[in-house]
Amino acid sequence: MKINWGDYSFVVRGKQRRKIILLMDIGKTPTELKRESGFNFNNVSRVLVQFEKNKLARCLTPKQEVGRVYALTLRGKAVREELLRRGEGKTSVSSVPVFSSMAAASIFSKE
């Protein structure tokens, strides 16, 4: 799948957009995305509207008033795959605590 770099840029500029697109591995409701992301419902809904506007996702059940299911389009899947290829969605080295040698010495020293 060929990636549209404008779509990629749009997604990575927002922490919420990045996290939600990574969670959309299958069709999901806004409630499921809210629960999995930890974001409030308004933020999830806003991101989904942005994704629809930018043709990154579409609603699979538009006639439903509650419990609509959203899925990534081919464009959205391409962005998600690029993020995963770059290691997004996994524990990165920057999220692992780093101890200074002084702190490590004080933790492991025998007094």
Side-chain angles (χ1 to χ4, degrees), residues 1 9 11 19 23 25 35 46 61 66 71 84 86 107:
M1 231 176 287
S9 174
V11 171
K19 186 164 188 177
L23 290 172
D25 53 339
R35 189 177 333 115
R46 180 179 37 77
T61 56
V66 178
L84 291 171
R86 291 174 179 238
I107 291 171

Side-chain angles (χ1 to χ4, degrees), residues 8-52:
Y8 178 83
S9 174
F10 169 73
V11 171
V12 297
R13 285 194 315 259
K15 182 178 91 172
Q16 293 174 343
R17 289 190 293 259
R18 184 180 306 171
K19 186 164 188 177
I20 288 174
I21 205 166
L22 288 168
L23 290 172
M24 293 181 72
D25 53 339
I26 58 173
K28 294 189 179 175
T29 66
T31 302
E32 290 171 321
L33 291 168
K34 172 191 175 297
R35 189 177 333 115
E36 293 175 24
S37 69
F39 301 137
N40 70 44
F41 192 77
N42 289 339
N43 289 341
V44 170
S45 294
R46 180 179 37 77
V47 168
L48 290 172
V49 167
Q50 291 173 344
F51 283 177
E52 279 192 299

